[in-house]
Amino acid sequence: MTTDKFMQAAIDEARKGLAEGGIPIGSVLVHDGKIIGRGHNRRVQQGSAILHGEMDALENAGRQPASVYKEATLYTTLSPCAMCSGAILLYGIKQVIIGENTTFLGEEQLLASRGVGLDVRHDEDCKKMMRDFIEAKPQLWNEDIGR
Amino acid sequence: MTTDKFMQAAIDEARKGLAEGGIPIGSVLVHDGKIIGRGHNRRVQQGSAILHGEMDALENAGRQPASVYKEATLYTTLSPCAMCSGAILLYGIKQVIIGENTTFLGEEQLLASRGVGLDVRHDEDCKKMMRDFIEAKPQLWNEDIGR
């Protein structure tokens, strides 16, 4: 169990997605000690190709000035894929907290090479959630990561 | 004037966005000689932080199998930013046709380094549309590219 309330909020989002029949990845965008956007993967729920957890959190945060993104921290239960990493780079988010990168390793190297600070928590709850999901629905998981 | 019907469709999308009061960037996703998704930037129209033209086209194409993306070509009126480039990489789109990269140069180097074929058309209509827009609404443009 994480003791970080923001990572817990991201995990809660992932679990909400799972309960909806979706892919259990969640994310929150934090600025000035407050969650300004929260979201989870909506591939199944909305037939979406772009609403990964991180994208959904960014979308739900709404239009923000560059100054907010630059001071914000993105929490995500899973290592961010190329699309979500690209969004992080577009908006100049400088800090990303990652639940785990064991079941899927995203574009962490690219992010680090551009100066984004990464903190991988190796969270057992996040790992178990994804392991169980990938085992149960491998095709859906492959679709979500373009395989 | 372009003689490429797919680039023209992307330009038509951009103009539709402009007529709605939005940012004039359009895109179409083409597979097997047919447009399977079309879109334009919806920052203004939907208060969206993630619906760039390319993302909107991908979203409107719906959930597609990996095999479709791998054979698809993405047309966009403007050089794709980090987020849209990341989406291209996620889905393994191998060919991107770009209207222009003079008013904004996106992540073309990253895309090329990952084996994505790029064809920049240096289209005068695309350039003029963006030049006029950036001159008229510089703050909105900066917001869209995270500045």
Side-chain angles (χ1 to χ4, degrees):
Chain A
M1 285 281 289
T2 181
T3 54
D4 180 327
K5 67 177 177 179
F6 296 129
M7 182 52 73
Q8 188 57 53
I11 294 171
D12 291 347
E13 281 292 324
R15 294 213 164 112
K16 198 184 288 184
L18 189 65
E20 293 164 356
I23 302 172
I25 305 169
S27 177
V28 295
L29 185 66
V30 174
H31 179 255
D32 210 10
K34 289 191 206 86
I35 294 173
I36 60 169
R38 59 179 78 220
H40 55 267
N41 189 300
R42 295 185 193 268
R43 175 171 297 273
V44 172
Q45 298 92 318
Q46 294 189 22
S48 177
I50 65 170
L51 286 173
H52 278 189
E54 301 91 322
M55 303 296 286
D56 193 41
L58 284 167
E59 185 70 335
N60 289 332
R63 290 170 57 181
Q64 296 287 341
S67 57
V68 168
Y69 293 117
K70 276 163 190 51
E71 295 167 356
T73 299
L74 186 72
Y75 289 74
T76 173
T77 56
L78 184 65
S79 185
C81 80
M83 174 175 66
C84 299
S85 296
I88 290 162
L89 293 176
L90 168 64
Y91 287 118
I93 295 169
K94 291 198 170 64
Q95 193 67 30
V96 180
I97 316 293
I98 297 167
E100 63 108 350
N101 64 5
T102 306
T103 64
F104 173 77
L105 177 61
E107 293 278 351
E108 292 181 18
Q109 207 168 3
L110 174 65
L111 289 171
S113 78
R114 303 284 182 96
V116 179
L118 304 175
D119 178 358
V120 183
R121 295 286 168 85
H122 305 289
D123 184 282
E124 288 302 326
D125 286 346
C126 292
K127 280 190 220 178
K128 181 172 172 16
M129 201 160 46
M130 279 311 292
R131 262 199 316 260
D132 291 351
F133 170 73
I134 293 170
E135 201 183 305
K137 298 184 176 172
Q139 279 185 316
L140 179 55
W141 171 235
N142 282 335
E143 183 192 317
D144 201 53
I145 51 172
R147 282 186 198 149
Chain B
M1 284 282 290
T2 181
T3 55
D4 181 327
K5 66 178 179 180
F6 297 129
M7 183 51 73
Q8 188 57 55
I11 294 171
D12 291 347
E13 281 292 324
R15 294 215 163 111
K16 198 183 288 185
L18 189 64
E20 293 165 357
I23 301 172
I25 306 169
S27 177
V28 296
L29 185 65
V30 174
H31 180 253
D32 209 10
K34 288 192 207 86
I35 293 173
I36 60 169
R38 58 179 77 219
H40 54 268
N41 187 299
R42 296 183 193 268
R43 175 172 297 274
V44 172
Q45 298 94 317
Q46 294 189 21
S48 176
I50 65 169
L51 286 173
H52 278 190
E54 301 91 323
M55 303 296 286
D56 193 41
L58 285 167
E59 186 69 337
N60 289 332
R63 290 170 57 180
Q64 297 286 343
S67 57
V68 168
Y69 293 116
K70 276 163 192 51
E71 294 167 358
T73 299
L74 185 73
Y75 288 74
T76 174
T77 57
L78 184 66
S79 185
C81 80
M83 174 175 65
C84 299
S85 296
I88 290 162
L89 293 176
L90 169 64
Y91 287 118
I93 294 170
K94 290 199 171 61
Q95 192 68 31
V96 180
I97 317 292
I98 297 168
E100 62 107 353
N101 63 6
T102 306
T103 64
F104 173 79
L105 178 61
E107 293 279 350
E108 293 182 18
Q109 208 169 3
L110 174 65
L111 289 171
S113 77
R114 302 284 181 97
V116 178
L118 304 176
D119 178 356
V120 183
R121 296 285 168 86
H122 304 288
D123 184 282
E124 287 302 326
D125 287 347
C126 292
K127 281 188 219 177
K128 183 173 170 16
M129 199 159 47
M130 280 310 292
R131 262 198 316 260
D132 291 351
F133 169 73
I134 293 169
E135 202 183 302
K137 299 184 177 172
Q139 278 186 317
L140 180 54
W141 172 235
N142 282 335
E143 183 192 317
D144 201 54
I145 51 172
R147 280 183 200 153

